[in-house]
Amino acid sequence: MKTPDGICLDREQAVWVGSFDEDAFIRVDRDGHELQRLEVPGRRAIACVLGGPERRTLFCLSAATSYEELRQRKSSARIDVVDVEIPGAGYP
């Protein structure tokens, strides 16, 4: 993973990570092996959290931006919602 950003933990001790330079949210196990990948083509993956009634909803914040646009505060963001199998653990 090139540039990890926001992160959240699930009940299998794996983490979901926003990978800014890969335009993807990636689920990684304790040993660093990639388990799952959610692509957000053309968008920078920034942050994620597991929530919802059973903590099986992955909220993914991404932005259509570049490093230069971020410095200039010229980016647009959105939150995508994805149902996942393994619920969240701990508290965000």
Side-chain angles (χ1 to χ4, degrees):
M1 186 172 323
K2 296 178 184 177
T3 51
D5 203 345
I7 189 170
C8 63
L9 177 68
D10 71 22
R11 288 194 190 155
E12 290 188 347
Q13 304 281 312
V15 293
W16 281 99
V17 180
S19 183
F20 190 83
D21 284 335
E22 294 182 68
D23 298 355
F25 293 91
I26 304 169
R27 184 171 179 252
V28 180
D29 70 13
R30 324 175 61 141
D31 297 320
H33 299 108
E34 184 175 318
L35 301 172
Q36 193 172 353
R37 178 180 286 255
L38 301 172
E39 303 281 344
V40 285
R43 303 188 63 79
R44 302 299 186 158
I46 297 172
C48 54
V49 65
L50 285 159
E54 296 180 18
R55 309 256 337 252
R56 291 177 191 270
T57 304
L58 183 65
F59 295 90
C60 303
L61 174 64
S62 65
T65 192
S66 66
Y67 287 111
E68 183 61 30
E69 289 170 331
L70 279 174
R71 283 189 284 280
Q72 297 172 5
R73 300 178 188 223
K74 295 181 180 178
S75 58
S76 64
R78 74 175 187 217
I79 296 174
D80 292 306
V81 178
V82 180
D83 292 327
V84 296
E85 184 179 334
I86 309 303
Y91 295 97

